[in-house]
Amino acid sequence: MSSQSDPRDWKNANKQNTARLAKWTFAWVITMAIANFGPIYLWQQQAITALAIGINFIIGIGMIMANRRQLLGLDELQQKIQLHAMGLSLGVGLIVGLSYSNLDTTNLISGHAEISHLVIIMSLSYLFGIILGHRKYQ
Protein backbone atom coordinates (compact mmCIF):
# COMPACT_ATOMS: atom_id res chain seq x y z
CA MET A 1 0.00 0.00 0.00
CA SER A 2 1.44 3.39 -0.97
CA SER A 3 1.65 6.19 1.55
CA GLN A 4 -0.94 8.18 -0.38
CA SER A 5 -3.51 5.40 -0.14
CA ASP A 6 -3.23 5.23 3.67
CA PRO A 7 -5.92 7.54 5.08
CA ARG A 8 -3.81 8.23 8.17
CA ASP A 9 -0.97 9.58 6.04
CA TRP A 10 -3.34 11.83 4.12
CA LYS A 11 -4.94 13.02 7.35
CA ASN A 12 -1.54 13.80 8.92
CA ALA A 13 -0.35 15.61 5.78
CA ASN A 14 -3.60 17.59 5.71
CA LYS A 15 -3.14 18.54 9.38
CA GLN A 16 0.44 19.65 8.72
CA ASN A 17 -0.58 21.67 5.66
CA THR A 18 -3.41 23.33 7.58
CA ALA A 19 -1.12 24.13 10.53
CA ARG A 20 1.51 25.54 8.15
CA LEU A 21 -1.13 27.72 6.48
CA ALA A 22 -2.37 28.92 9.89
CA LYS A 23 1.17 29.92 10.89
CA TRP A 24 1.77 31.82 7.65
CA THR A 25 -1.63 33.50 7.92
CA PHE A 26 -0.95 34.53 11.52
CA ALA A 27 2.47 35.90 10.53
CA TRP A 28 0.89 37.84 7.66
CA VAL A 29 -1.79 39.34 9.91
CA ILE A 30 0.81 40.35 12.51
CA THR A 31 3.11 41.94 9.90
CA MET A 32 0.09 43.70 8.37
CA ALA A 33 -0.76 45.18 11.78
CA ILE A 34 2.85 46.24 12.31
CA ALA A 35 3.02 47.85 8.85
CA ASN A 36 -0.25 49.72 9.47
CA PHE A 37 0.09 50.75 13.10
CA GLY A 38 3.87 51.00 13.42
CA PRO A 39 4.10 54.40 11.71
CA ILE A 40 1.34 55.71 13.99
CA TYR A 41 2.52 54.36 17.35
CA LEU A 42 6.11 53.13 17.05
CA TRP A 43 8.12 55.11 14.50
CA GLN A 44 7.90 58.01 12.07
CA GLN A 45 10.61 57.04 9.57
CA GLN A 46 9.35 56.18 6.09
CA ALA A 47 12.26 53.77 5.55
CA ILE A 48 11.08 51.61 8.46
CA THR A 49 7.52 51.74 7.14
CA ALA A 50 8.70 50.68 3.69
CA LEU A 51 10.66 47.82 5.25
CA ALA A 52 7.63 46.70 7.29
CA ILE A 53 5.46 46.74 4.15
CA GLY A 54 8.11 44.80 2.24
CA ILE A 55 8.31 42.16 4.97
CA ASN A 56 4.52 41.92 4.99
CA PHE A 57 4.55 41.46 1.21
CA ILE A 58 7.14 38.66 1.42
CA ILE A 59 5.23 36.94 4.24
CA GLY A 60 2.10 37.28 2.06
CA ILE A 61 3.85 35.38 -0.74
CA GLY A 62 4.72 32.66 1.78
CA MET A 63 1.08 32.55 2.85
CA ILE A 64 -0.05 32.16 -0.77
CA MET A 65 2.40 29.29 -1.25
CA ALA A 66 1.21 27.61 1.97
CA ASN A 67 -2.40 28.04 0.80
CA ARG A 68 -1.55 26.45 -2.53
CA ARG A 69 0.16 23.53 -0.82
CA GLN A 70 -2.81 23.07 1.49
CA LEU A 71 -5.26 23.12 -1.44
CA LEU A 72 -3.23 20.64 -3.46
CA GLY A 73 -3.25 18.27 -0.47
CA LEU A 74 -7.03 18.18 -0.28
CA ASP A 75 -9.13 15.50 -1.88
CA GLU A 76 -10.96 16.27 -5.11
CA LEU A 77 -14.28 17.11 -3.45
CA GLN A 78 -12.68 19.52 -0.99
CA GLN A 79 -10.73 21.13 -3.83
CA LYS A 80 -13.97 21.57 -5.77
CA ILE A 81 -15.69 23.17 -2.76
CA GLN A 82 -12.72 25.50 -2.26
CA LEU A 83 -12.59 26.42 -5.94
CA HIS A 84 -16.29 27.30 -6.02
CA ALA A 85 -16.03 29.32 -2.79
CA MET A 86 -12.99 31.20 -4.10
CA GLY A 87 -14.75 31.90 -7.38
CA LEU A 88 -17.76 33.26 -5.49
CA SER A 89 -15.51 35.43 -3.33
CA LEU A 90 -13.63 36.77 -6.35
CA GLY A 91 -16.85 37.57 -8.23
CA VAL A 92 -18.52 39.21 -5.26
CA GLY A 93 -15.33 41.13 -4.46
CA LEU A 94 -14.98 42.39 -7.99
CA ILE A 95 -18.62 43.45 -8.45
CA VAL A 96 -19.13 44.87 -4.95
CA GLY A 97 -15.68 46.48 -4.89
CA LEU A 98 -16.05 48.29 -8.18
CA SER A 99 -19.61 49.38 -7.38
CA TYR A 100 -18.46 50.59 -3.97
CA SER A 101 -15.60 52.49 -5.57
CA ASN A 102 -17.99 54.08 -8.07
CA LEU A 103 -20.27 55.19 -5.23
CA ASP A 104 -17.26 56.85 -3.62
CA THR A 105 -15.84 58.51 -6.74
CA THR A 106 -19.24 59.88 -7.74
CA ASN A 107 -19.84 61.13 -4.17
CA LEU A 108 -23.02 59.10 -3.76
CA ILE A 109 -21.78 57.98 -0.35
CA SER A 110 -20.49 60.38 2.26
CA GLY A 111 -17.55 58.28 3.47
CA HIS A 112 -14.58 56.90 1.59
CA ALA A 113 -14.55 53.41 0.13
CA GLU A 114 -12.21 51.47 2.40
CA ILE A 115 -10.39 48.30 1.33
CA SER A 116 -11.12 46.77 4.74
CA HIS A 117 -14.83 46.77 3.90
CA LEU A 118 -14.11 44.84 0.72
CA VAL A 119 -11.95 42.32 2.60
CA ILE A 120 -14.83 41.71 5.01
CA ILE A 121 -17.32 41.22 2.14
CA MET A 122 -14.97 38.83 0.35
CA SER A 123 -14.29 36.87 3.55
CA LEU A 124 -17.98 36.51 4.28
CA SER A 125 -18.78 35.45 0.71
CA TYR A 126 -15.93 32.88 0.87
CA LEU A 127 -17.29 31.52 4.17
CA PHE A 128 -20.80 31.41 2.66
CA GLY A 129 -19.42 29.52 -0.36
CA ILE A 130 -17.69 26.96 1.87
CA ILE A 131 -20.88 26.40 3.86
CA LEU A 132 -22.95 26.04 0.68
CA GLY A 133 -20.43 23.63 -0.81
CA HIS A 134 -20.42 21.41 2.25
CA ARG A 135 -24.21 21.37 2.38
CA LYS A 136 -24.43 20.57 -1.32
CA TYR A 137 -22.18 17.50 -1.03
CA GLN A 138 -23.36 16.10 2.32
Side-chain angles (χ1 to χ4, degrees):
M1 180 186 319
S2 73
S3 64
Q4 287 207 328
S5 62
D6 186 350
R8 290 173 298 188
D9 289 343
W10 177 83
K11 193 173 188 177
N12 286 335
N14 193 30
K15 272 186 177 179
Q16 287 177 337
N17 288 338
T18 301
R20 183 180 295 111
L21 176 58
K23 290 174 188 174
W24 278 101
T25 301
F26 181 75
W28 180 77
V29 169
I30 293 300
T31 59
M32 177 65 76
I34 291 168
N36 279 294
F37 298 116
I40 298 170
Y41 299 110
L42 301 175
W43 64 79
Q44 282 71 44
Q45 297 86 358
Q46 286 187 337
I48 297 174
T49 302
L51 179 64
I53 292 169
I55 291 170
N56 175 252
F57 182 81
I58 291 167
I59 298 289
I61 291 171
M63 183 181 69
I64 291 169
M65 292 168 57
N67 190 33
R68 181 179 184 275
R69 184 175 187 168
Q70 197 262 348
L71 289 171
L72 290 173
L74 297 175
D75 64 29
E76 292 166 2
L77 179 59
Q78 288 296 321
Q79 286 179 353
K80 183 175 183 169
I81 290 170
Q82 291 288 328
L83 178 65
H84 286 225
M86 289 176 180
L88 175 66
S89 178
L90 174 63
V92 168
L94 186 65
I95 300 306
V96 170
L98 291 175
S99 296
Y100 189 41
S101 176
N102 283 337
L103 289 171
D104 182 23
T105 59
T106 58
N107 294 320
L108 290 175
I109 57 174
S110 59
H112 292 291
E114 297 289 337
I115 192 70
S116 59
H117 299 153
L118 182 59
V119 171
I120 291 167
I121 294 294
M122 290 180 72
S123 298
L124 292 174
S125 64
Y126 175 72
L127 179 62
F128 181 71
I130 294 292
I131 292 168
L132 283 180
H134 281 282
R135 283 192 172 177
K136 180 179 180 178
Y137 295 110
Q138 277 183 336

